[in-house]
Amino acid sequence: MAFVSSGYNPKKPMENRITDIGPRKYDEFYPPVIAKNKGKWKYHEILEPGVLVHVSETGDEVFTVRVGGARLMSVTHIREICEIADKHCDGHLRFTTRNNIEFMVDSKDKVEPLKKDLASRKFDGGSFKFPVGGTGAGITNIVHTQGWIHCHTPATDASGTVKATMDVLYDDFSKMRLPAQLRVSMACCLNMCGAVHCSDIAILGYHRKPPMLDHEYLDKMCEIPLAIAACPTAAIKPAKVEIAGGEKIKSVAVKNERCMYCGNCYTMCPSMPLADTEGDGIVLMVGGKVSNRVSNPMFSKVVVSFLPNDMPRWPEMTDTIKRIVEAYAAGANKYERVGEWAERIGWERFFEKCELEFTHHLIDDFRDAAYYTWRQTTNFKF
Amino acid sequence: MAKHETPLLDQLESGPWPSFVSDLKQEAEARAKNERNIEYQIPVDAVDDLLGVLELSFKHGRTHWKHGGIVGVFGYGGGVIGRYCDQPDNFPGVAHFHTMRVNHPAGKYYTTEYLKQLCDLWDFRGSGITNMHGSTGDIIFLGTTTPQLEEIFYELTHNLNQDLGGSGSNLRTPSDCIGSSRCEWACFDTQAICHFMTKEFQDELHRPAFPYKFKFKFDGCPNCCVASIARADISFIGTWRDDIRIDQDAVQGYIAGDYPPNGGAHADGNWGAFDINKEVVNICPTGCMSMQDGKLEIDNKECTRCMHCINVMPRALRPGTDTGLSMLVGAKAPILDGAQMGSLLVPFVEVNPDNDYEAIIEVIEALWDWWMEEGKNRERLGELIKRQGFQKMLDMTGIKPMPQHVQEPRTNPYIFWKEDEVPGGFNADITEFRKHHLR
């Protein structure tokens, strides 16, 4: 493994340096049919799950075959995607905001061979490499975060929970039988890099124990004021601590009852880890949306306060999600999103229909906004 | 033969959904075989060790990655995230395993030629593992060593004409929906403005000068496919001011059952025949639609452009042609002070590439001036608006208050009057007062 230089000279970092050039320009990558018809599209239709046609004012059509992908992807897999695009799509493709891959062709007769090719490709372990679906009133790919594959604060795994969930929801990825689209999202800790707070169903990794304190190293490894400032609930204060041998050193103390286990202190201070096998697990949130369609965008609500991490397939979590999806499919009106359905029937009825237990954890007690979530009317259901 | 036993991960290879475990295994094998004769610049067994450390996390229920450390490329304060394994002796291939964020092209279209160039570079100088794409939108290169960072950056900029994305207290890589490139509903060219803003604000993107992260997201219409309204400090959402375009013949086509409602999105449900009153007119949240003598009428002045009717009958209804965008500000995920949805600041602004989006840039810069002056460390724009008040934001941006800014007027009369709004100011003369009011 000999070091191969790119041409970069570490002694003169500014020599021939190119910076601030930004990304490649989008239109370099447009397929010809897109470049020609941009801004001229008239309407679209989903021909079957995973297959769309967009029709232009010019009479041109573009057929899109959408396939799911694990967003964690090897270069071997990407090269296979390229091979497919070279074979069927003249070397063009795109990714969606929900980690799907879209192969586009400019005539209908190219769709079937492409679909056949995609369906024929499986991993050695048996799973599809390129499942077609994710359109219309069904469940599309789950947007998610890193989890245990690459992050320092996760309370659960991302790729694993997503794989387990999508296996269980697979029928609804490849069908369109639901009342409306149902967006599932996953974030592996409270920081929500995946911004799951406005999803129909959100899987959220969650810690339940305050940080441990590595007193002996804390002041050496951390800027104590930064750790204190990082805490959103002011639960951390400076402290003098006596360590083994009687030496008194500077450290911090945590007021446990104020901690909401967000891990912000750990981000600032590696001597305050909070990962814990029994403490960590999953929260499920429900009923958010970002679209302005019919009702305003909504935040997701916490409906399951905790499920344990049960590797490798989190069966309690996937069972609960499946139950929510089925109750929604059976009860909601056409076009109604999960949150709109829950609001129409009332949350008390939602818990009943989904067979979920209501516990004190689900009543908001965080700052002013909490008050607005309590019931201030005699209108409720028994 | 795999380097590490992975009995738990192996159970994630079955089932229909693409298995990331199978993919990691195929990459580990490809590196071991090295049929391309690559002179790997980071350990050949990096992916084996990645599987090994992930298996250990599945066993322990805890992560084995340590936070950061300051790594990056010269002159940039973002785009690279340091990562180290906390079991380096057992998994030396991933002992140092930093992330690089590569700024994706707007719209996420690619040619295979370009993707293969990225793959070649990442095979050679990194783990060969990516995220396509990260949550913000970047292409994520997952795992390389510190000495490779400058080399990768040099190759990206010199050979691929490609820059890194944002991280830390920077402008984060802006992202957009598919826009007018392949969607009939886009009210502006999302790709053009997303690319322009990314180029315009390269300094803000690469060099941390902000109190915290800052996100731009561009949605072509109120359907919000990139979730800007929930995630972006400034969300740019396409809208229109004139009338929804109606093709009455196509309306009849839907009524007759010639076209599937909602673009065929409900094909597998048992919903019965399409009923325009039940599915469109009566669901309209403003009640501005009616059927008169078999014709669909829309009272456009009362329409709030929610997109429902257009979504249901894409062949019959289209957004108007006097288009622009609304700017909403302050959306964010819950950390630190609870989640916030974007709040409407600019109901309508023209989207004019010919004057470099002057009217939009003016608002952005006014907001940044305020936030950079007054924002506390790790305070998002939305939190500053809450702390100092919506009125303060109006002052700082010179935007006039209007009823569109609120869901409803305030329910308390605790108005903080400004001194110059009250005749005579705040220094009333007590001596004068006492002449008429005895102590």
Side-chain angles (χ1 to χ4, degrees):
Chain A
M1 195 172 77
F3 181 83
V4 182
S5 169
S6 60
Y8 170 71
N9 179 358
K11 288 196 183 104
K12 293 180 180 171
M14 290 314 288
E15 192 176 77
N16 300 323
R17 194 165 189 87
I18 299 174
T19 67
D20 300 284
I21 55 173
R24 292 280 283 264
K25 191 149 181 263
Y26 51 94
D27 55 4
E28 286 180 55
F29 300 135
Y30 283 161
V33 64
I34 295 292
K36 186 178 158 203
N37 294 288
K38 181 172 176 177
K40 297 177 190 154
W41 299 106
K42 222 165 113 186
Y43 67 88
H44 76 279
E45 202 168 302
I46 305 167
L47 299 174
E48 58 184 280
V51 182
L52 301 111
V53 61
H54 286 79
V55 180
S56 163
E57 282 161 1
T58 65
D60 286 352
E61 296 175 318
V62 61
F63 295 85
T64 301
V65 178
R66 183 179 292 170
V67 304
R71 77 162 202 174
L72 184 69
M73 231 173 241
S74 72
V75 292
T76 302
H77 193 66
I78 298 171
R79 286 194 181 107
E80 189 167 344
I81 293 169
C82 291
E83 180 209 318
I84 296 166
D86 283 336
K87 200 164 135 194
H88 299 273
C89 314
D90 302 317
H92 293 273
L93 67 138
R94 75 174 287 268
F95 287 81
T96 73
T97 49
R98 300 191 75 87
N99 311 323
N100 295 307
I101 306 142
E102 291 187 335
F103 295 101
M104 286 157 285
V105 292
D106 55 12
S107 76
K108 199 169 182 180
D109 56 306
K110 295 178 183 171
V111 172
E112 277 311 312
L114 169 59
K115 271 177 56 196
K116 221 175 131 189
D117 189 357
L118 292 166
S120 72
R121 296 171 188 255
K122 287 188 167 186
F123 283 111
D124 288 345
S127 65
F128 288 112
K129 281 180 174 168
F130 304 108
V132 176
T135 51
I139 290 171
T140 188
N141 205 345
I142 298 179
V143 291
H144 65 91
T145 55
Q146 299 286 19
W148 291 331
I149 197 87
H150 209 235
C151 183
H152 66 292
T153 58
T156 189
D157 187 43
S159 300
T161 52
V162 165
K163 162 72 175 154
T165 304
M166 284 311 286
D167 277 343
V168 168
L169 299 179
Y170 186 75
D171 279 353
D172 282 316
F173 176 79
S174 45
K175 275 206 192 91
M176 305 186 292
R177 58 138 191 160
L178 297 178
Q181 69 264 44
L182 194 157
R183 301 279 182 254
V184 187
S185 306
M186 193 285 155
C188 50
C189 83
L190 206 54
N191 288 296
M192 288 198 197
C193 298
V196 302
H197 58 294
C198 292
S199 311
D200 294 279
I201 298 181
I203 304 166
L204 178 66
Y206 197 76
H207 301 286
R208 291 188 304 171
K209 294 192 185 181
M212 294 165 261
L213 302 172
D214 209 351
H215 288 305
E216 203 181 330
Y217 295 90
L218 203 140
D219 190 35
K220 294 174 199 149
M221 295 183 72
C222 317
E223 295 280 353
I224 288 178
L226 284 181
I228 292 169
C231 180
T233 60
I236 306 173
K237 58 180 184 184
K240 284 256 182 211
V241 179
E242 195 176 307
I243 53 168
E247 192 192 347
K248 283 205 162 182
I249 53 167
K250 278 201 280 184
S251 185
V252 299
V254 176
K255 207 168 189 182
N256 285 343
E257 64 274 21
R258 291 184 86 149
C259 177
M260 63 177 194
Y261 333 108
C262 69
N264 272 272
C265 53
Y266 181 54
T267 293
M268 287 293 150
C269 174
S271 297
M272 303 179 72
L274 75 167
D276 186 273
T277 305
E278 286 78 32
D280 298 352
I282 304 274
V283 164
L284 292 180
M285 300 173 76
V286 155
K289 73 182 191 84
V290 294
S291 154
N292 290 272
R293 184 176 184 172
V294 186
S295 60
N296 293 346
M298 297 183 220
F299 292 123
S300 314
K301 284 91 182 163
V302 180
V303 294
V304 176
S305 60
F306 187 78
L307 294 169
N309 277 325
D310 186 1
M311 287 71 75
R313 281 191 172 269
W314 287 267
E316 219 181 320
M317 175 193 77
T318 56
D319 286 353
T320 310
I321 291 171
K322 181 75 177 162
R323 214 160 61 232
I324 295 169
V325 171
E326 289 308 324
Y328 163 70
N333 294 333
K334 192 177 181 185
Y335 306 115
E336 214 169 37
R337 296 284 292 266
V338 174
E340 294 169 322
W341 167 63
E343 287 193 353
R344 177 172 59 81
I345 63 172
W347 284 96
E348 63 272 48
R349 191 66 77 236
F350 171 89
F351 279 87
E352 183 187 304
K353 298 266 184 203
C354 297
E355 297 166 48
L356 297 172
E357 191 193 356
F358 192 88
T359 65
H360 72 87
H361 310 99
L362 305 179
I363 300 171
D364 197 351
D365 58 358
F366 190 73
R367 300 187 179 171
D368 275 6
Y371 166 81
Y372 298 99
T373 66
W374 306 336
R375 196 179 301 254
Q376 286 122 9
T377 167
T378 56
N379 299 334
F380 60 87
K381 294 179 181 177
F382 288 107
Chain B
M1 188 56 203
K3 182 176 172 187
H4 304 283
E5 295 277 304
T6 54
L8 289 168
L9 292 177
D10 293 350
Q11 295 174 57
L12 287 171
E13 290 203 82
S14 57
W17 191 250
S19 169
F20 69 98
V21 176
S22 301
D23 191 17
L24 291 174
K25 284 185 177 178
Q26 81 170 359
E27 192 59 31
E29 210 172 298
R31 286 176 78 91
K33 278 192 195 153
N34 193 14
E35 284 173 353
R36 291 166 179 266
N37 290 316
I38 296 162
E39 199 155 351
Y40 290 119
Q41 295 294 292
I42 77 161
V44 178
D45 58 0
V47 183
D48 290 286
D49 280 350
L50 185 62
L51 278 159
V53 75
L54 185 61
E55 176 73 15
L56 192 65
S57 282
F58 268 59
K59 193 174 150 199
H60 288 160
R62 300 188 302 269
T63 192
H64 283 287
W65 298 102
K66 294 197 281 187
H67 187 262
I70 307 293
V71 289
V73 297
F74 190 78
Y76 279 12
V80 180
I81 295 110
R83 190 67 71 213
Y84 302 90
C85 180
D86 72 4
Q87 294 288 309
D89 292 344
N90 295 327
F91 308 102
V94 294
H96 298 209
F97 209 62
H98 311 316
T99 300
M100 296 183 88
R101 295 185 180 169
V102 179
N103 195 329
H104 68 286
K108 297 196 180 88
Y109 288 92
Y110 294 100
T111 57
T112 54
E113 184 198 359
Y114 172 71
L115 279 183
K116 284 184 240 179
Q117 287 172 340
L118 282 181
C119 288
D120 290 345
L121 171 62
W122 192 233
D123 229 358
F124 174 41
R125 297 195 178 276
S127 68
I129 301 300
T130 75
N131 290 147
M132 294 298 284
H133 297 72
S135 296
T136 300
D138 297 284
I139 300 162
I140 307 293
F141 280 175
L142 212 61
T144 193
T145 56
T146 308
Q148 289 303 313
L149 298 172
E150 287 289 356
E151 308 296 326
I152 292 165
F153 181 68
Y154 191 95
E155 292 211 34
L156 279 174
T157 51
H158 285 76
N159 308 335
L160 273 76
N161 189 26
Q162 173 65 58
D163 208 334
L164 296 179
S167 66
S169 291
N170 294 10
L171 176 65
R172 299 298 182 86
T173 304
S175 69
D176 62 339
C177 72
I178 192 164
S180 51
S181 70
R182 205 199 60 202
C183 180
E184 65 272 25
W185 297 328
C187 295
F188 63 96
D189 185 345
T190 54
Q191 268 124 65
I193 190 171
C194 183
H195 185 77
F196 178 89
M197 293 295 177
T198 308
K199 297 276 274 190
E200 178 75 9
F201 296 117
Q202 282 290 295
D203 194 32
E204 286 78 1
L205 200 147
H206 295 303
R207 294 169 194 91
F210 286 153
Y212 202 13
K213 64 179 93 167
F214 200 93
K215 297 184 180 185
F216 288 158
K217 292 188 191 293
F218 301 90
D219 272 312
C221 83
N223 280 330
C224 284
C225 291
V226 286
S228 66
I229 201 165
R231 304 186 56 187
D233 297 272
I234 306 182
S235 22
F236 303 86
I237 304 175
T239 195
W240 66 95
R241 290 187 293 194
D242 54 344
D243 294 352
I244 291 175
R245 286 174 282 170
I246 306 185
D247 176 344
Q248 291 288 357
D249 291 340
V251 173
Q252 294 307 318
Y254 281 101
I255 293 171
D258 299 340
Y259 311 132
N262 217 78
H266 293 78
D268 298 319
N270 295 316
W271 301 105
F274 175 68
D275 178 340
I276 194 166
N277 282 311
K278 197 174 144 199
E279 299 187 31
V280 180
V281 174
N282 296 345
I283 291 183
C284 171
T286 64
C288 73
M289 309 184 89
S290 59
M291 292 299 292
Q292 286 176 12
D293 303 326
K295 268 181 74 178
L296 180 68
E297 298 287 340
I298 302 174
D299 181 0
N300 279 282
K301 193 165 185 307
E302 297 308 310
C303 168
T304 53
R305 304 166 310 284
C306 84
M307 296 296 294
H308 175 68
C309 59
I310 296 173
N311 289 336
V312 175
M313 301 193 291
R315 291 188 195 222
L317 303 177
R318 301 169 77 184
T321 52
D322 179 16
T323 55
L325 60 80
S326 305
M327 292 170 73
L328 289 85
V329 293
K332 54 179 280 294
I335 293 293
L336 303 171
D337 199 24
Q340 283 181 241
M341 208 67 84
S343 298
L344 181 69
L345 177 62
V346 180
F348 186 92
V349 60
E350 65 161 6
V351 183
N352 188 354
D354 297 334
N355 67 14
D356 291 344
Y357 308 100
E358 197 177 71
I360 294 169
I361 299 248
E362 199 182 309
V363 180
I364 295 172
E365 290 188 334
L367 285 167
W368 279 352
D369 284 347
W370 174 42
W371 182 53
M372 288 173 76
E373 183 70 30
E374 299 279 344
K376 295 197 258 189
N377 185 32
R378 301 194 76 200
E379 183 175 53
R380 293 283 288 271
L381 177 64
E383 289 154 337
L384 174 64
I385 301 168
K386 269 170 86 174
R387 184 164 61 84
Q388 294 202 340
F390 198 92
Q391 284 89 336
K392 175 80 178 190
M393 173 167 63
L394 293 179
D395 282 350
M396 299 311 289
T397 53
I399 293 169
K400 283 204 178 106
M402 59 190 104
Q404 284 82 356
H405 282 141
V406 294
Q407 196 68 39
E408 58 185 34
R410 66 193 309 156
T411 55
N412 62 69
Y414 308 149
I415 300 163
F416 292 100
W417 290 94
K418 290 180 192 133
E419 187 168 8
D420 62 7
E421 289 181 315
V422 185
F426 285 169
N427 291 316
D429 184 350
I430 184 72
T431 320
E432 188 58 29
F433 180 81
R434 284 295 169 221
K435 285 181 187 167
H436 309 283
H437 303 273
L438 299 180
R439 282 187 188 86

